[in-house]
Amino acid sequence: MVVVVQNVPTALKTKARLLRVLDGEVLAEPPIWLMRQAGRYLPEYRALRTQAGSFLDLCYTPELATEVTLQPIRRFGFDAAILFSDILVIPHALGRDVRFVEGEGPRLDPIDPAEIAQLSIDAVLDRLAPVLETVAAVRRELAPDKALIGFCGAPWTVATYMIAGKGTPDQAPSRLMAARDPEALDRLIDVLVRASIIYLIAQLRAGADAVQIFDSWSRVLSPKAFERWSAGPIARIIAGVRAEIPDARFIGFPKGADRGLLSFVETTGVNAVGVDWTVPLKTVRDEIAGRVAIQGNLDPMVLVAGGAELDTAIDEILESMRGARLIFNLGHGIVPQTPIAHVEQLIARIRG
Ligand code: CP3
């Protein structure tokens, strides 16, 4: 067969493979990126991280954040870059105290209902201006065939950190607020929905090609609470952004949503849904893959282990999603102890 390349418009030739899958195409070789692909497993990240001082300084210095965003693209040639920032810049922009304690993770001052009533989104875009500058700089430097993914945390997950002040085993403090004072939680979620809408619109206008909404703590909710506090608010964010940018592309990641996945997809209107490794891909394929692209779902520990087990796990994912829209990823973020050689092995296996 002769392919007449001259007649293909440049935009089609260079359209990022991730965007082609988000827009409905099935690709024989799936696009690849990894959650937390910029991070401590990379020596070049650790070097810049030390230079920046604090983690938030790194997030708010466009020159450094741009460099860190591009590091994994240069090293591995992933199909997409993800903005280097954190989901907790939103509470920070709302005026809350946010610190990242070495070896312990994030720490915030736990918010109470009286403080929730005082929250205002007025300063959010001004305070996040450096992050938006990073988005624009990355898009300028990134090749046209690579996608840039922007992101925010889902209101539920961000709320759990604001209420507990940190990650706890099952985010009980927020579930207690949901049960005891649902009006207060409604107000907090509403502030986060409005802040996320303006933030994501700004990211898309600055050059993000798609945005991912991380709901890392959706699994701790009962099915009814999941609808109210996780899927519902994400649906409002997506509708709010699309009211301004009708073709905005969304990847939803309701970690551990499990039996709630189909209803999540229907309620929210995402273009793709991220699934973790506990979800049987065959079932996902039968029930959901006809409606949206599927992103996932290698266990990050299998990537740490490497070897023949890694190849087998990759092959199983590719096999169960053959003929469907797959974005190859992990089922959660890459961990710091991951050997670089195993990431190279993963890419070679998928592209080979
Ligand atoms: O490469 C990328 O994926 C982009 C950057 C990114 C970070 N955090 C950088 C980061 C993204 C998309 C996030 C999302 C995020 N942040 C989530 C959702 C995804 C998930 O992992 O569930 C959550 C819950 C957070 C909150 C957060 N930030 C935690 C719990 C931690 C501590 C855990 C850890 O790995 O240290 C962070 C810190 C953080 N965010 C780091 C990075 C690279 C490590 C900080 C450091 O370098 O010291």
Side-chain angles (χ1 to χ4, degrees), residues 34-40 45 49 55 82-88 100 102 105-106 151 157 161 214 216 332:
L34 302 181
M35 289 188 275
R36 289 283 182 95
Q37 64 191 19
R40 285 167 297 183
Y45 170 82
R49 169 81 171 76
F55 173 70
I82 179 159
L83 164 68
F84 188 82
S85 179
D86 197 84
I87 64 167
L88 299 177
F100 287 83
E102 201 65 57
F151 72 92
T157 285
Y161 286 99
F214 287 89
S216 310
H332 203 188

Side-chain angles (χ1 to χ4, degrees), residues 239-280:
V241 172
R242 287 195 180 138
E244 296 289 321
I245 307 175
D247 55 357
R249 302 175 179 101
F250 286 89
I251 304 169
F253 180 49
K255 185 165 185 294
D258 240 321
R259 275 173 242 63
L261 269 179
L262 178 57
S263 108
F264 176 87
V265 162
E266 286 173 340
T267 307
T268 59
V270 290
N271 305 81
V273 68
V275 294
D276 66 69
W277 59 93
T278 65
V279 178

